[in-house]
Amino acid sequence: MAIKVFNRIEKKYLITKSDKRKVLKVIKEHMQHDDYYKSEVFNLYFDNDNFDLITQSIDWTDFKHKIRARSYGGYDRVFIEIKTKIRDFENNLGYKRRVMITNKDFEEFINGGVSIEELASLAIETSNDLQIAKEIDYLMNINDLKPKIMVIYDRESYKNEDSLRITFDENLRYRTNDLMFNSKKDGKMFFKNTPNIIMEVKAQGVLPLWLVNVLSERHIYPQRFSKIGNIYQLIKKGQYV
């Protein structure tokens, strides 16, 4: 059964390729490849015509949420997600709830033929699935949400037995048309001059000392970086795909 509810501390870091090599050397001593070690990730963000949800993300409010659909290259499943973040002093507390449907069902949903609740009821695994689906439908309707921006990147991920997860996202790109997952259009690169890598650390509690030490040695510190927020700011400047 796929995990559909997440609750964790999240930290982001912008690092160089040199940083990645040094950090990976230590990571491999304490962690192993995730189940899907390397993947191409597609995130389709929903918003209204005023981009209220994305603007909320940029404004760094104490509470914010996003509605997105996520798929992975070569995988015939789509996760429809509510991603909520609450700022708690220096940490971001992330809560993610999602339901899983097929690509074919997702296309029917996008075309207005069926609700997420109806789709979830066809393959329900827990009673919580239906509640999440109802919440997604409610937020979509009350906020008049539509597919707006596709964000794509290549992910490398690691895990350990202590629920620690570390990911490296590279080749961040986006597009504002051809928003279906089966589109052959790749998108426009976000980082043009510096090939920055987005490292995300997700943990249930405090970070392990070995990780703190290597980050400190490399002078790598947490940063505010929202993929969709930064991409939207480029789009506002007229840099559409």
Side-chain angles (χ1 to χ4, degrees):
M1 182 185 298
I3 299 175
K4 298 175 182 176
V5 180
F6 300 83
N7 174 5
R8 57 201 178 189
I9 294 172
E10 300 180 357
K11 293 180 181 289
K12 291 183 181 180
Y13 309 80
L14 288 183
I15 64 174
T16 65
K17 289 186 179 295
S18 176
D19 288 330
K20 180 185 174 183
R21 285 193 296 269
K22 296 292 186 180
V23 173
L24 266 182
K25 185 177 180 181
V26 179
I27 284 176
K28 289 177 178 179
E29 296 174 2
H30 300 272
M31 305 182 73
Q32 58 271 359
H33 293 167
D34 204 345
D35 296 336
Y36 301 95
Y37 163 51
K38 288 192 176 182
S39 57
E40 187 178 28
V41 183
F42 296 80
N43 288 320
L44 176 58
Y45 286 87
F46 293 82
D47 213 325
N48 55 34
D49 291 336
N50 293 324
F51 290 92
D52 288 334
L53 297 188
I54 296 174
T55 301
Q56 181 186 70
S57 176
I58 296 170
D59 289 343
W60 198 240
T61 56
D62 289 338
F63 173 87
K64 56 187 177 183
H65 63 260
K66 305 169 187 173
I67 305 294
R68 72 182 182 194
R70 169 173 284 190
S71 187
Y72 299 88
Y75 186 54
D76 182 32
R77 290 292 183 272
V78 176
F79 296 95
I80 314 295
E81 303 177 338
I82 306 171
K83 188 170 184 182
T84 302
K85 283 192 176 180
I86 299 174
R87 185 166 56 177
D88 178 24
F89 300 103
E90 75 276 8
N91 293 319
N92 279 332
L93 302 180
Y95 300 86
K96 185 164 68 175
R97 305 178 304 287
R98 65 189 189 183
V99 295
M100 183 174 65
I101 60 177
T102 66
N103 273 290
K104 182 179 178 181
D105 287 342
F106 178 71
E107 290 182 14
E108 188 176 358
F109 165 68
I110 289 297
N111 292 327
V114 66
S115 69
I116 294 297
E117 180 182 355
E118 291 172 297
L119 293 172
S121 66
L122 298 177
I124 189 168
E125 292 182 335
T126 71
S127 59
N128 198 38
D129 289 2
L130 208 54
Q131 180 57 42
I132 295 170
K134 289 179 180 179
E135 187 175 351
I136 291 170
D137 284 332
Y138 173 77
L139 291 172
M140 293 284 292
N141 291 328
I142 197 171
N143 293 294
D144 192 23
L145 303 183
K146 309 164 189 173
K148 287 294 186 180
I149 303 172
M150 181 76 77
V151 177
I152 312 161
Y153 45 87
D154 302 316
R155 169 163 284 185
E156 183 176 334
S157 54
Y158 297 83
K159 66 178 181 179
N160 72 3
E161 294 78 8
D162 298 323
S163 299
L164 176 68
R165 188 163 185 261
I166 299 177
T167 58
F168 298 91
D169 297 338
E170 303 185 52
N171 303 316
L172 178 62
R173 52 210 189 272
Y174 66 97
R175 61 178 187 252
T176 56
N177 48 38
D178 295 326
L179 295 178
M180 299 306 294
F181 291 120
N182 59 4
S183 171
K184 301 301 181 183
K185 192 168 184 178
D186 193 30
K188 188 164 186 172
M189 297 298 294
F190 176 78
F191 294 115
K192 291 185 170 52
N193 299 318
T194 305
N196 284 323
I197 299 167
I198 304 161
M199 183 178 77
E200 295 189 32
V201 177
K202 300 165 185 174
Q204 296 294 338
V206 297
L207 302 186
L209 187 58
W210 60 262
L211 179 58
V212 173
N213 286 340
V214 69
L215 295 179
S216 177
E217 289 169 5
R218 296 293 299 179
H219 304 288
I220 299 172
Y221 305 108
Q223 298 185 41
R224 283 176 51 188
F225 188 87
S226 164
K227 294 185 184 77
I228 185 60
N230 282 277
I231 286 171
Y232 172 67
Q233 288 179 319
L234 281 186
I235 291 172
K236 281 187 65 177
K237 298 175 182 177
Q239 298 186 29
Y240 284 90
V241 174

